Amino acid sequence: MDRNSVKCKIGPSVLNADLSQLYVESQKLLDNGADYLHLDVMDGSFVPNLTFGHPVVKCLRKKIPNAFFETHMMVSDPEMWIEPMADAGVSQYTFHIEPVPQNVLPICRKVREAGMKVGLALKPGTGIEAVRQYIEHADMILIMTVEPGFGGQKFINDMMPKVQWLRHNYPLLDIEVDGGVGLNTINACAEAGANMIVSGTAIINSADQKAVIASLRETVESSIHKCNV
Ligand code: DX5
Ligand code: ZN
C-alpha cells in the first residue's frame, strides 16, 4: 500500500461483549489484531438504549494506555461530553449530526481543540448531502449500516451508495461502516470503499476472533489494493 492510499483499520465494538469484564474483553480484541476500539456511548435519548459514559472509558484508558479509542456518541447533546471524553483519554470523538444540525462546525472545532480527532456519523435515514459541507472539517465519516441503538442487527445494504459516493469524491477520506458488518457483509463494504470497519457480534460471538479480524482485513485490503493498481 502506498503512502497516498487509505489504510484498513478494524475496530471491534465491545457493546455485546461481557461488559462486566470490559478490560479483559477489550485487551483480548487488541491481542487478536484489532487496530482500535469502537466504544458505543448511548444516552437513552438519541437512541432507545443506555450503555456507558466517560467514567467507564476513563477506567478502561488507565488499563489500556496506548490503544486508539473511538467513542461513537449516540447522544442528543454531543457538545456536552467533549471535555469529559477528552479527559478520559478518547482519541476520536464521533458524533451524530442529526441532533445538532445548526451546530456541527462549532462542535467539530471544540472536539479538535480538546485534542481529539473528529468523526461525523449519519443514521441510515440521513442523506449524504447533509454531511457534504462538513467533510473538510472531519477526520472520518461514519455511515451507519443499521439504526443505531443495538448490536446484532441486520446490515442495510442500501447504505453502500453513500459509501461509494464518499470514496469516489474523497479518495483519501477515512470512511467507517458500523452495524451488521461481518464475514457475510464485508465484501459489500470493501467494494464500496469503506476502510474503517466496525464489527460487534460477528467478532465477539466468534470462537476465533483472530481469524475473523484477519479475514475482514484481508477483504478490505484487497479492495484498497485493487483501487490503487
Ligand atoms: C449500534 C452500534 C454498533 C454495534 C455494532 O448502535 O453503533 O457499533 O454495536 O454491532 P454489530 O456488529 O453486532 O451490529
Ligand atoms: Zn457504533
Side-chain angles (χ1 to χ4, degrees):
M1 230 180 300
D2 73 45
R3 202 146 44 88
N4 295 318
S5 70
V6 292
K7 204 172 164 340
C8 166
K9 292 175 200 147
I10 310 293
S13 157
V14 289
L15 182 60
N16 279 51
D18 176 359
L19 292 177
S20 72
Q21 305 207 63
L22 180 59
Y23 161 60
V24 173
E25 296 274 356
S26 301
Q27 189 58 55
K28 186 171 145 195
L29 289 162
L30 292 164
D31 292 343
N32 282 328
D35 297 291
Y36 66 104
L37 294 177
H38 177 90
L39 301 168
D40 287 305
V41 175
M42 304 187 191
D43 68 350
S45 165
F46 179 66
V47 288
N49 197 5
L50 197 59
T51 55
F52 46 78
H54 53 93
V56 171
V57 177
K58 191 167 185 168
C59 291
L60 187 63
R61 175 54 92 198
K62 283 198 183 120
K63 297 265 199 174
I64 304 180
N66 295 320
F68 191 93
F69 282 7
E70 175 195 23
T71 48
H72 177 192
M73 303 301 296
M74 288 164 275
V75 301
S76 295
D77 186 355
E79 197 169 353
M80 187 168 178
W81 310 110
I82 296 173
E83 280 303 329
M85 283 299 182
D87 175 63
V90 166
S91 321
Q92 177 169 311
Y93 191 88
T94 298
F95 66 96
H96 278 265
I97 62 171
E98 293 88 0
V100 287
Q102 309 303 330
N103 217 7
V104 174
L105 276 186
I107 297 178
C108 289
R109 208 168 300 128
K110 282 185 183 166
V111 171
R112 280 251 163 78
E113 281 166 10
M116 299 179 287
K117 284 188 154 189
V118 180
L120 296 178
L122 270 68
K123 287 165 88 168
T126 305
I128 202 73
E129 63 286 348
V131 80
R132 237 174 136 153
Q133 57 182 307
Y134 307 122
I135 295 174
E136 319 283 344
H137 302 271
D139 295 293
M140 189 208 84
I141 306 294
L142 162 55
I143 300 297
M144 287 301 297
T145 43
V146 298
E147 266 323 313
F150 299 91
Q153 302 183 76
K154 191 172 176 296
F155 179 79
I156 308 172
N157 199 59
D158 282 357
M159 297 300 111
M160 292 305 98
K162 291 197 225 177
V163 176
Q164 280 160 3
W165 185 89
L166 285 172
R167 179 55 70 222
H168 180 75
N169 289 285
Y170 298 88
L172 297 177
L173 180 68
D174 278 327
I175 305 171
E176 185 179 63
V177 283
D178 178 17
V181 179
L183 296 180
N184 297 327
T185 51
I186 190 64
N187 229 2
C189 301
E191 278 174 10
N195 68 301
M196 291 183 69
I197 309 299
V198 177
S199 177
T201 46
I203 295 176
I204 298 296
N205 292 346
S206 161
D208 192 346
Q209 290 190 354
K210 201 174 205 145
V212 176
I213 291 173
S215 174
L216 294 172
R217 184 188 308 289
E218 200 183 300
T219 306
V220 175
E221 282 184 346
S222 83
S223 274
I224 292 175
H225 180 71
K226 269 185 234 150
C227 289
N228 287 303
V229 286

